[in-house]
Amino acid sequence: MKILQSWSYNMPLKPKEIVEALDLYIVGQQKAKRAVAIALRNRWRRQQAPDNLKEEILPNNIIMIGPTGVGKTEIARRLAHLANAPFLKVEATKFTEVGYVGRDVESMIRDLMAIAVHMVEQEHEALVWEMAEKIAEERILDILFPVDKKEHEDEIEQERVGKTREKLKEMYKNGQFDDRYIEVELQDSPGVGGISIMGPMGGGGMDEASDFLNSAMSNLFGKKKKKKKVKVSEAKKILTEQEADKLVDKAKVQQEALSRVENDGIVFLDEIDKIATSSDSGRSADVSRQGVQRDLLPIVEGSTVNTRYGVVRTDHILFIAAGAFHTSKPSDLIPELQGRFPIRVELDSLTTEDFIKILTHPQNALIKQYQALLNAEGVDLIVKEDALKAIAEKATEVNDRTENIGARRLHTILTRILDDVMFKAPDTSKKFVLDAKTVHENIDDIVTDVDMSRYIL
């Protein structure tokens, strides 16, 4: 069955199709995939509801429970990519780093809005890119071969200039001028020498005031420009981007981005277990963690956040939280926050069989990545079945003996095994066969020595 690669409200993916699309990149974890698939489909269902009910239907936020390296972040990231939705991953602990106050929790909504504006800008620029290329082409030809436009040009002269111009365009398209240097006008990078307002504990409101003042100063005195000599091949890109930027309606972009954030935005709150109050934590830590939870509550519950692009309502943003919950449990969160995450999904620890699939099955599988890297050197990497099994078994063994870091252990083990090959690839034979014998030769001694395996693997 063909999997659609992007979401559309006209042709939304069914939950089953969403799971199948996630299966291309993530091994196992069917319960978590089902939960996020339903949550994504519910967004379309909400849009079909009567207007008087549409605003009342709130998203079912999700808590994913499971050890590191089992696919929690990847599920959320792939879901956002599939939905073409603004996506932000943020660590819950980020809001406790500066003490009891921490960073303003509203900053994550401002960051999400900035991501959405960038996304929509790129989409709008893609629509006008062809036109921008034509305008840039005319600008470059004017710089290369300036034409003195007379007030009363006779028809013969106009025809001659027109034919010459067409020939030059053909030469330009064939890249005959690419190595010539021309002078183009560039804007200075924003923020250099800008105004910065310092506030207590890095509050986000101060960032907004700084942005407003810098924008006002820029509009008052005009944006600084500088001239630079570049090759025509580079000028094509610079001038096309400038023209595309001019053709895009900024107000429309911001309006669409605002709508996307409010209706389609996804915030992935990682390490939420670190702000839960466990029974063995100190009193001061409890105060700090509960403070962060209470700050997060209104954002998850539904509130308004001021951003430089407008006021964002968070009522329908989907929040997906994740944590290992080794020393705490979801019930250690404050009751009000628990109530805002009604869906709880436990992710399974990865088995040896899962590791074998992870090495080869996903479209971005580790073995495929290493094969692509070595192909750049003209080296053909062939991995035998017994090698895959040996690597998976060693990953399981090291995870059991030391810290369980899930599939990330495969990275460390493969890096160790292929270290010599990657180093000598430019000067070695053009074929390398990885079998179980090679795997054992490279890592058996390290795995046996617990102290060394903790250090190296």
Side-chain angles (χ1 to χ4, degrees):
M1 182 180 179
K2 188 179 178 182
I3 303 297
L4 297 174
Q5 293 303 311
S6 61
W7 175 271
S8 164
Y9 276 120
N10 297 323
M11 291 181 63
L13 298 178
K14 298 172 185 175
K16 184 182 176 184
E17 292 171 332
I18 295 167
V19 170
E20 287 173 354
L22 293 173
D23 283 341
L24 296 175
Y25 294 95
I26 301 143
V27 171
Q29 313 303 357
Q30 294 306 309
K31 289 181 285 186
K33 289 175 186 172
R34 282 173 64 96
V36 297
I38 293 167
L40 185 57
R41 181 71 177 189
N42 280 347
R43 297 195 147 182
W44 173 79
R45 290 167 178 158
R46 175 179 159 263
Q47 296 295 336
Q48 315 311 310
D51 289 342
N52 62 327
L53 271 177
K54 197 180 288 186
E55 286 301 310
E56 304 300 325
I57 300 173
L58 300 176
N60 285 336
N61 298 321
I62 301 164
I63 289 185
M64 293 185 188
I65 305 161
T68 185
V70 296
K72 300 188 294 293
T73 306
E74 192 66 10
I75 287 172
R77 185 181 286 116
R78 293 290 172 187
L79 183 77
H81 179 72
L82 191 66
N84 194 27
F87 173 78
L88 176 74
K89 177 183 182 288
V90 63
E91 311 287 333
T93 50
K94 181 182 192 175
F95 307 114
T96 60
E97 285 172 357
V98 197
Y100 289 155
V101 179
R103 192 183 171 195
D104 180 6
V105 293
E106 292 183 353
S107 64
M108 64 183 174
I109 304 301
R110 286 190 282 271
D111 292 343
L112 184 66
M113 187 64 200
I115 290 166
V117 169
H118 181 64
M119 274 179 65
V120 177
E121 257 179 2
Q122 286 188 316
E123 289 171 15
H124 283 231
E125 283 180 6
L127 296 173
V128 298
W129 194 258
E130 198 174 324
M131 190 186 298
E133 281 182 325
K134 288 178 182 176
I135 299 170
E137 177 186 303
E138 295 294 336
R139 281 180 64 183
I140 290 170
L141 289 174
D142 285 341
I143 296 168
L144 284 169
F145 309 101
V147 177
D148 187 15
K149 294 182 180 178
K150 300 169 186 174
E151 270 189 52
H152 303 289
E153 233 178 30
D154 58 35
E155 289 184 12
I156 297 171
E157 183 66 14
Q158 283 182 352
E159 190 178 344
R160 187 188 69 78
V161 171
K163 284 181 180 178
T164 306
R165 189 78 165 184
E166 287 305 315
K167 285 180 183 176
L168 292 171
K169 279 185 182 179
E170 197 63 37
M171 292 169 75
Y172 170 87
K173 286 173 182 173
N174 292 334
Q176 289 176 248
F177 304 132
D178 281 1
D179 290 330
R180 288 202 190 184
Y181 280 87
I182 62 171
E183 200 173 61
V184 295
E185 209 170 49
L186 304 171
Q187 287 183 359
D188 267 342
S189 300
V192 178
I195 297 170
S196 177
I197 298 177
M198 301 301 290
M201 297 298 185
M206 297 301 170
D207 295 337
E208 293 300 304
S210 296
D211 291 333
F212 174 77
L213 280 173
N214 283 319
S215 176
M217 295 290 281
S218 176
N219 292 333
L220 183 62
F221 297 109
K223 292 181 180 177
K224 290 183 180 179
K225 293 184 178 180
K226 61 179 180 181
K227 290 187 176 180
K228 185 182 178 183
K229 278 199 170 183
V230 295
K231 284 186 177 182
V232 168
S233 55
E234 190 181 342
K236 284 179 186 178
K237 187 171 183 291
I238 294 168
L239 296 181
T240 303
E241 284 175 353
Q242 286 181 7
E243 294 302 328
D245 188 61
K246 290 177 190 174
L247 291 167
V248 168
D249 184 342
K250 300 295 181 186
K252 194 175 178 183
V253 165
Q254 291 182 17
Q255 189 179 357
E256 188 177 328
L258 185 65
S259 175
R260 285 241 197 132
V261 167
E262 290 185 339
N263 295 296
D264 300 330
I266 299 174
V267 173
F268 183 74
L269 274 170
D270 203 7
E271 295 189 354
I272 198 166
D273 56 317
K274 302 293 192 300
I275 61 166
T277 54
S278 57
S279 55
D280 59 344
S281 63
R283 184 172 178 78
S284 60
D286 278 355
V287 173
S288 176
R289 291 167 183 172
Q290 283 191 15
V292 176
Q293 291 181 55
R294 296 199 181 279
D295 285 345
L296 282 171
L297 184 59
I299 305 293
V300 180
E301 211 169 26
S303 60
T304 55
V305 177
N306 288 315
T307 75
R308 74 186 77 170
Y309 305 106
V311 178
V312 178
R313 291 176 63 233
T314 66
D315 302 67
H316 299 288
I317 292 175
L318 177 65
F319 289 88
I320 300 176
F325 289 98
H326 288 311
T327 58
S328 59
K329 48 193 181 295
S331 58
D332 290 330
L333 296 167
I334 60 173
E336 299 92 333
L337 194 59
Q338 285 183 54
R340 291 295 165 178
F341 287 90
I343 311 297
R344 295 179 189 179
V345 188
E346 192 166 349
L347 282 82
D348 304 316
S349 293
L350 298 170
T351 63
T352 304
E353 289 72 26
D354 290 331
F355 284 143
I356 293 172
K357 288 179 187 173
I358 288 166
L359 284 168
T360 56
H361 173 69
Q363 289 193 354
N364 60 339
L366 271 176
I367 296 296
K368 293 175 186 175
Q369 290 178 30
Y370 275 102
Q371 284 172 335
L373 290 172
L374 287 169
N375 273 339
E377 302 279 6
V379 178
D380 188 17
L381 173 64
I382 297 166
V383 183
K384 291 192 171 180
E385 290 290 329
D386 61 349
L388 293 173
K389 188 180 178 187
I391 293 166
E393 286 171 349
K394 294 299 175 186
T396 307
E397 187 180 339
V398 177
N399 274 346
D400 288 342
R401 286 187 174 196
T402 61
E403 292 294 322
N404 184 358
I405 60 170
R408 294 189 181 96
R409 186 69 68 189
L410 295 172
H411 280 268
T412 58
I413 288 178
L414 262 176
T415 302
R416 183 71 190 176
I417 294 167
L418 297 174
D419 178 79
D420 199 47
V421 181
M422 300 296 284
F423 185 80
K424 296 177 180 176
D427 310 306
T428 191
S429 60
K430 298 308 172 188
K431 186 177 179 182
F432 178 76
V433 179
L434 179 61
D435 54 19
K437 183 184 176 185
T438 311
V439 172
H440 291 300
E441 283 173 356
N442 278 278
I443 60 170
D444 270 6
D445 291 344
I446 300 169
V447 173
T448 306
D449 189 327
V450 178
D451 290 333
M452 195 182 291
S453 64
R454 282 181 187 277
Y455 181 73
I456 296 174
L457 300 178

